[in-house]
Amino acid sequence: MKRAYRYTASSLVLTLLSVNASAQDVKVMISGGFKAALEKLAPEYERRTGDKIVIIPGPSMGTTPQAIPNRLARGEKADVVIMVGDALEKLEKASQTLPGSRTELADSPVGMVVKKGADVPDISSEASLRNTLLQASSIAYSDSASGRYVSQALFKKLGIEKDVAGKATMVERIPVASEVAKGKYAVGFQQVSELLPVQGVTFIGKIPDNLQYITRFAGAVTRHAEHPAEGKALLSYLASPPSGAAIRETGMIPVTSGDTARRSAFPVQPQCRTECAPGAG
């Protein structure tokens, strides 16, 4: 079975051509971190295959009805899920995905934004980030893997957990940057790929390397997929080298072939990579 999910460049082309003969609607449940990349890549993929990609957004984990595991649990249909790797692993263990269909896609670092027109703070070093957060009137972070890291680890690492407790807020489900753009919060943290598409904010940059937290995104075909072949072809396309440029444009790092190593929860060394803290994507 494993062999069926390993596509060479030539087999991918053959798959795309065969799928094109009977175009389908391919339903993709996807968390925010990889959504911008899929939206960039979808038009060309649809043109080549004739398939239509139907995007169903939702967090990788959490209590909201839109969370991907909750959608699947109540019987919503999807051919593919793309989400934070650790959350996907839980679906794999629950037999909600096809064995061997997991495809590693991209890694996403954490960044920060402020409202457009606001003073641009310095976060280039650990000391400057600490000072910026102490001076900020309010701080927002997501209910995703990055947000759990910010609230449960980053503040502790900076030694400001008690100082920011009364002004740091978790934003559920919607992009953190959209709330910063409205002026609800002075600064906002989330994965870079979720910050860049939002209008009305200034992207300050990634947090310093020695504090960085990188989330792995991966995809899989669901156990009850109506179009499993089309789902496998889509994941192969997203993981192929030609898709790398679009993925980089969204602030993510494409996963190189063979880079499937599992990663621990919170980073304990500089530039540690992880699949997920206990959160969503």
Side-chain angles (χ1 to χ4, degrees):
M1 181 172 286
K2 290 183 178 179
R3 187 177 181 182
Y5 294 99
R6 294 174 182 172
Y7 287 83
T8 62
S10 59
S11 64
L12 173 59
V13 172
L14 291 174
T15 300
L16 294 178
L17 290 175
S18 63
V19 170
N20 192 45
S22 56
Q24 304 288 349
D25 285 354
V26 182
K27 295 181 179 179
V28 182
M29 286 188 184
I30 186 169
S31 58
F34 200 81
K35 183 170 175 284
L38 179 60
E39 289 174 339
K40 278 182 173 289
L41 292 164
E44 174 62 16
Y45 183 80
E46 291 176 337
R47 184 190 69 78
R48 292 175 60 179
T49 66
D51 288 339
K52 177 178 175 57
I53 297 175
V54 180
I55 295 177
I56 305 170
S60 294
M61 194 179 294
T63 59
T64 63
Q66 296 82 6
I68 292 172
N70 298 336
R71 287 182 181 276
L72 294 176
R74 62 176 178 264
E76 289 192 34
K77 300 295 185 181
D79 298 301
V80 172
V81 290
I82 298 176
M83 56 202 295
V84 171
D86 185 63
L88 177 57
E89 186 173 353
K90 291 180 180 179
L91 293 185
E92 291 175 301
K93 291 179 178 179
S95 299
Q96 293 192 30
T97 62
L98 291 183
S101 68
R102 178 177 173 130
T103 304
E104 310 298 320
L105 295 174
D107 291 331
S108 181
V110 177
M112 194 185 89
V113 294
V114 298
K115 182 178 172 62
K116 188 173 183 179
D119 293 338
V120 176
D122 181 11
I123 64 168
S124 60
S125 68
E126 182 173 335
S128 60
L129 177 60
R130 180 187 298 109
N131 184 60
T132 291
L133 295 183
L134 288 174
Q135 292 185 6
S137 58
S138 55
I139 302 167
Y141 55 89
S142 73
D143 62 348
S144 70
S146 61
R148 298 301 177 90
Y149 168 68
V150 168
S151 62
Q152 298 176 17
L154 179 62
F155 293 156
K156 289 181 180 179
K157 285 176 173 289
L158 294 172
I160 60 173
E161 186 178 16
K162 293 182 179 179
D163 300 280
V164 302
K167 61 179 181 179
T169 303
M170 181 177 71
V171 176
E172 292 187 334
R173 192 173 60 83
I174 62 176
V176 170
S178 66
E179 297 294 90
V180 175
K182 297 173 186 175
K184 291 186 177 181
Y185 304 100
V187 302
F189 291 96
Q190 200 162 11
Q191 290 148 4
V192 173
S193 58
E194 296 189 67
L195 297 175
L196 293 180
V198 179
Q199 300 296 313
V201 295
T202 298
F203 175 64
I204 304 303
K206 297 182 291 185
I207 63 176
D209 285 349
N210 66 310
L211 298 171
Q212 187 55 262
Y213 172 81
I214 295 182
T215 302
R216 166 63 56 87
F217 283 87
V221 177
T222 65
R223 182 179 59 180
H224 299 298
E226 294 178 350
H227 309 295
E230 289 81 0
K232 288 184 289 184
L234 173 61
L235 288 174
S236 294
Y237 176 77
L238 297 176
S240 67
S243 298
I247 291 173
R248 290 187 185 92
E249 287 175 6
T250 67
M252 304 185 82
I253 306 160
V255 175
T256 57
S257 177
D259 183 9
T260 60
R262 306 290 177 176
R263 293 174 168 90
S264 59
F266 291 132
V268 292
Q269 295 180 0
Q271 199 66 11
C272 172
R273 294 183 178 182
T274 178
E275 294 199 21
C276 186

